[in-house]
Amino acid sequence: MGQEAAKHPQGHIIRQSPPFDADHIPDDAWMKDKVVIITGGASGFGLGMFRRWAAAQAVVVMADINVAQGDRLVRDVKKATANSNLHFIHCDVTEWKSQVSLFREAAKLSPHGGIDTVVANAGIAAAKRTFEEPNDIDLADPPPPDMSILDVNLKGVVYTSYLALWYLPRNPGSSPADPSCVPAQVTRDRHLILMGSLASLMPIPGSALYGTSKHAVAGLYRNLRASSFMQGIRVNLICPYFVETPLLTAPARALLAGGVLCKEDDVVEAATRFAANPGIVGRAVSVGPKLKVKQDVKGEWHLVEGEEPGAEQRAIWEIYLHDLEDADVFQRRCLAMINRVTELRGWAGWAQDMVTALVYGIRSLWR
């Protein structure tokens, strides 16, 4: 494609930070006094984040549908960490009013009246192949497919993100996210972490709706990171591989028997690297099994067996790295033509469109 293949970086426009540095170790102390909401916080990744950030003396609000377990865990972690600023709030993420109540209560519990970080973590997986194997469609009134996975994993995440987009810019004492910031000089944050999955990146046979929901979360991330800079919010994404959590169903465990799983601690580590560094903006990582690898002179990574100089253990890998570096020919040409037409129409064209929009609005009121 010759010159058409030249790179057209867009990352600076949306204030995206440089590529994720997997070798940088986060300073958990930065989390002290930060106010965090974690949905689905009573188990799995959410619980791991809750424990670690509680130990760093953050103000953490655990939101979950399991009241008994949530209450017990908060009491236990308060005692273990000597952190009194830990709270449990019952929340059904599929219910809008429940999430509204969560955010309002969290803001009331916040010592400074605001929220620094929101982790949209709540999710479920299907135990059966109900979507791929339809039943009873020949009945007079066939039942619809079970949509609970989409309700929790997609609608719930959209609700959480929507509320975060309102609360985060209004966090008292916070400033717009800045990739060039010095973390030690940043006292408040505006941070949304979305929890994707391996299923955000590739198909998982037998998990159509789960994969659909997680692909949608990745799509939400890729769109929000291209616009959230206007509100000064940083949005990051974590996509874990199969992990030993309650989400891992019995069939999945059977299929993975003899293989290697991702460690929950590595997922929590990735979340902490995002949360404890306000300079990481618009980045996504995949967390997989910890492997011994080595990078060659071309920058490619290779699996290492045995001992080899320069090899290292790595579980966290950046994804969607080049989204904003390259734009394909079709996209560039289309945008160029549209922009040229806009220039030719000028203010007269803008005024004409505004009058048309106004007339349309008035007519719609009379319908």
Side-chain angles (χ1 to χ4, degrees):
M1 290 185 292
Q3 292 183 349
E4 291 289 353
K7 289 189 175 182
H8 292 254
Q10 304 294 318
H12 68 285
I13 297 176
I14 66 167
R15 300 176 69 83
Q16 184 185 36
S17 60
F20 182 82
D21 183 0
D23 297 322
H24 175 75
I25 305 300
D27 182 4
D28 285 30
W30 191 87
M31 295 296 295
K32 186 177 187 298
D33 298 328
K34 302 301 183 293
V35 180
V36 183
I37 293 177
I38 306 173
T39 64
S43 63
F45 307 138
L47 178 56
M49 296 174 207
F50 181 80
R51 291 184 187 278
R52 180 158 173 176
W53 299 342
Q57 300 302 303
V59 180
V60 193
V61 177
M62 173 195 290
D64 204 281
I65 199 168
N66 190 330
V67 176
Q69 184 166 315
D71 280 335
R72 177 181 58 79
L73 287 169
V74 168
R75 289 195 302 270
D76 291 347
V77 177
K78 274 185 178 181
K79 184 177 180 180
T81 61
N83 184 348
S84 61
N85 287 314
L86 306 177
H87 311 279
F88 173 78
I89 298 176
H90 171 265
C91 180
D92 179 350
V93 294
T94 68
E95 296 293 335
W96 170 246
K97 290 184 178 180
S98 185
Q99 290 223 40
V100 169
S101 296
L102 163 65
F103 276 77
R104 287 179 176 173
E105 186 62 24
K108 290 179 183 178
L109 292 169
S110 168
H112 76 288
I115 298 166
D116 294 293
T117 295
V118 175
V119 185
N121 171 72
I124 61 173
K128 299 179 181 179
R129 290 167 45 93
T130 56
F131 186 81
E132 292 87 339
E133 299 175 351
N135 289 313
D136 301 326
I137 302 300
D138 54 347
L139 296 178
D141 185 15
D146 182 358
M147 303 293 282
S148 57
I149 287 180
L150 294 181
D151 287 340
V152 175
N153 297 3
L154 178 52
K155 185 170 76 172
V157 170
V158 169
Y159 283 170
T160 303
S161 302
Y162 188 65
L163 288 162
L165 292 175
W166 193 90
Y167 276 88
L168 291 174
R170 293 166 173 79
N171 184 20
S174 69
S175 300
D178 182 1
S180 63
C181 72
V182 178
Q185 298 175 0
V186 178
T187 57
R188 289 292 160 204
D189 207 351
R190 304 177 184 180
H191 188 199
L192 172 62
I193 298 179
L194 298 174
M195 292 302 298
S197 162
L198 174 71
S200 297
L201 311 174
M202 60 179 288
I204 299 180
S207 301
L209 291 186
Y210 181 78
T212 298
S213 70
K214 291 301 184 179
H215 268 71
V217 171
L220 179 64
Y221 154 75
R222 296 173 82 180
N223 281 273
L224 285 181
R225 76 165 176 179
S227 61
S228 61
F229 71 96
M230 292 185 289
Q231 298 163 286
I233 299 172
R234 62 190 187 105
V235 181
N236 296 304
L237 172 73
I238 301 174
C239 293
Y241 182 67
F242 294 106
V243 186
E244 182 66 35
T245 71
L247 280 184
L248 195 61
T249 62
R253 292 168 191 266
L255 287 172
L256 291 166
V260 59
L261 296 176
C262 172
K263 299 295 184 183
E264 184 180 300
D265 285 349
D266 289 326
V267 178
V268 175
E269 177 71 16
T272 303
R273 293 189 183 200
F274 280 153
N277 186 347
I280 300 180
V281 183
R283 289 297 173 181
V285 295
S286 175
V287 185
K290 189 165 285 186
L291 305 173
K292 183 181 289 187
V293 293
K294 184 177 180 179
Q295 192 173 30
D296 62 24
V297 293
K298 295 181 179 179
E300 298 293 330
W301 291 92
H302 302 278
L303 190 64
V304 172
E305 297 183 12
E307 298 298 325
E308 187 173 327
E312 61 181 277
Q313 295 283 342
R314 178 167 292 198
I316 303 173
W317 304 87
E318 182 150 20
I319 54 178
Y320 298 128
L321 181 60
H322 303 292
D323 266 10
L324 301 167
E325 292 183 8
D326 297 294
D328 60 49
V329 174
F330 176 79
Q331 182 184 38
R332 290 204 304 274
R333 286 176 175 171
C334 282
L335 289 176
M337 288 188 292
I338 291 171
N339 288 335
R340 182 56 180 158
V341 170
T342 301
E343 290 175 3
L344 292 173
R345 294 187 70 206
W347 286 104
W350 174 85
Q352 180 182 345
D353 289 345
M354 289 299 293
V355 171
T356 301
L358 180 61
V359 171
Y360 177 84
I362 294 173
R363 286 178 176 175
S364 65
L365 292 175
W366 289 96
R367 290 175 182 171

